[in-house]
Amino acid sequence: MLSKRAKYAIKTILFLQDHPELVPASAKLISERETIPYKFLENILRDLKTHQLVKSVRGAEGGYALAKDPSMISIAQVMRAMDGPIALIPCISERFYESCPECTDEETCRIRKLFAEVRSEMVPILERPITTLAKSK
Amino acid sequence: MLSKRAKYAIKTILFLQDHPELVPASAKLISERETIPYKFLENILRDLKTHQLVKSVRGAEGGYALAKDPSMISIAQVMRAMDGPIALIPCISERFYESCPECTDEETCRIRKLFAEVRSEMVPILERPITTLAKSK
DNA sequence: ATAAATCCTATAGAATAGGTATGAATTAAA
DNA sequence: TTTAATTCATACCTATTCTATAGGATTTAT
Ligand code: FES
Ligand code: FES
């Protein structure tokens, strides 16, 4: 399951997508509108920033905005920044690969085969740009 | 990511599938062959039993075997027994449904829509009977 | 100057993960 | 009938992660 952290992050990114990009959105505003605990959100925003997903403007009237064009941002990116790998087992993760200590042979591992298939179905969906997430009013 | 518990459970189920069903496999045997910590495995086996995935024979020469025909067992069942929902968010889980406290409207939730799609791709793969996991020698 | 922000570090409580300890109950075989 | 192998049950333990909060330093528009 997705962590709350990741879920909050996704909501934040979606909020920023909808927000007019001329004025940055303050953490306070996001916190109120999306009902995310303020201090927790600050934390998440810092993390999103280090992962280059949002950029910030300091000082009064400051806030956050998407760091790049929404067409270049995906939910997968947010998930990886918050929770790490999308794959359900480490041995098939592209970016967070680790070998399975208890499996002797990756090539013939039945578990691995199955979860590789799962991953290859999940990833394309999660990697779609957030612009494809239509806001049905 | 899958918990170790779930991974061990899957390996156990696969081991039992390969094991001749006339003689039950003892926890000790499974533990050694699959390098799963013995006491932890006992724990997992008990859980698998309450979820009706394995059955047991007590006493000396006792052990465990699959509780039903392998064609009726899927990895999804094992995962649910160990880790709970397969869905990445609770509001789209079939068996472990919970509403999302911070989402006001499920119908229009963009996150929900996306993850529903993800889930609907994952589940059929994970629900295939374990007999389809060919053992490539 | 002041207020509104971000930024940074540290901490705390709760839950979960991963595993261990101890021992009782059951049963086949010696 | 004793012994050894095994499941069954409960409780406990330790480390980590998750979720969140606290306190303050820094930046900047007004
Ligand atoms: S090699 Fe990763 S699950 Fe077997
Ligand atoms: S309703 Fe579950 S994520 Fe929005």
Side-chain angles (χ1 to χ4, degrees):
Chain A
M1 294 261 285
L2 217 57
S3 70
K4 263 197 154 65
R5 200 179 163 73
K7 201 162 168 188
Y8 288 158
I10 293 172
K11 301 196 97 171
T12 298
I13 292 289
L14 258 30
F15 181 87
L16 291 178
Q17 186 191 8
D18 299 341
H19 192 77
E21 59 178 323
L22 301 174
V23 273
S26 71
K28 180 152 173 272
L29 177 67
I30 302 170
S31 163
E32 282 165 359
R33 294 290 188 78
E34 299 292 338
T35 52
I36 303 171
Y38 177 72
K39 279 297 191 181
F40 196 19
L41 176 61
E42 267 194 351
N43 210 293
I44 291 165
L45 281 165
R46 189 147 43 85
D47 212 351
L48 286 174
K49 190 185 173 183
T50 63
H51 283 88
Q52 319 246 12
L53 291 169
V54 307
K55 61 190 172 190
S56 65
V57 179
R58 303 189 63 168
E61 300 293 293
Y64 299 87
L66 297 182
K68 33 189 169 180
D69 195 89
S71 67
M72 299 298 290
I73 298 180
S74 69
I75 298 298
Q77 288 171 39
V78 181
M79 287 174 65
R80 291 198 186 98
M82 297 296 121
D83 287 355
I86 286 168
L88 295 180
I89 46 177
C91 61
I92 51 170
S93 168
E94 291 276 329
R95 292 165 181 74
F96 300 86
Y97 173 85
E98 278 177 64
S99 69
C100 297
E102 67 287 349
C103 288
T104 43
D105 183 11
E106 268 191 14
E107 291 311 309
T108 60
C109 177
R110 286 176 281 180
I111 300 176
R112 185 167 188 269
K113 271 205 188 71
L114 185 70
F115 284 98
E117 200 176 336
V118 172
R119 190 202 113 101
S120 77
E121 293 292 333
M122 297 173 72
V123 167
I125 300 174
L126 294 171
E127 260 173 1
R128 298 206 279 251
I130 55 174
T131 49
T132 62
L133 302 181
K135 189 180 181 185
S136 59
K137 164 53 198 9
Chain B
M1 295 261 286
L2 217 59
S3 70
K4 265 199 153 66
R5 200 179 164 74
K7 200 163 169 187
Y8 289 157
I10 292 172
K11 301 196 97 172
T12 298
I13 293 289
L14 257 30
F15 181 87
L16 292 177
Q17 185 191 9
D18 299 341
H19 193 78
E21 59 179 321
L22 301 173
V23 273
S26 71
K28 180 153 173 272
L29 176 67
I30 303 170
S31 163
E32 282 165 0
R33 294 290 189 79
E34 299 292 338
T35 54
I36 303 171
Y38 178 71
K39 278 297 188 183
F40 196 20
L41 177 62
E42 266 194 351
N43 211 293
I44 291 165
L45 281 165
R46 191 148 38 85
D47 212 351
L48 285 173
K49 190 185 176 186
T50 60
H51 283 90
Q52 319 245 10
L53 291 169
V54 306
K55 60 189 173 189
S56 64
V57 179
R58 303 188 63 165
E61 300 291 293
Y64 298 87
L66 296 182
K68 33 189 168 179
D69 194 89
S71 68
M72 298 301 287
I73 298 182
S74 69
I75 298 296
Q77 288 171 40
V78 181
M79 287 174 64
R80 290 198 186 97
M82 297 296 120
D83 289 354
I86 285 170
L88 296 179
I89 46 177
C91 61
I92 51 171
S93 168
E94 291 277 330
R95 292 165 181 73
F96 301 87
Y97 173 85
E98 279 178 62
S99 69
C100 297
E102 67 286 349
C103 287
T104 43
D105 182 12
E106 267 190 16
E107 291 311 309
T108 60
C109 177
R110 286 176 281 179
I111 301 176
R112 185 166 188 270
K113 271 205 188 75
L114 184 70
F115 283 98
E117 202 178 334
V118 172
R119 190 201 114 101
S120 76
E121 293 292 333
M122 297 173 72
V123 166
I125 299 174
L126 295 170
E127 259 171 3
R128 298 207 280 252
I130 55 175
T131 49
T132 62
L133 301 181
K135 189 180 180 184
S136 60
K137 163 59 200 3

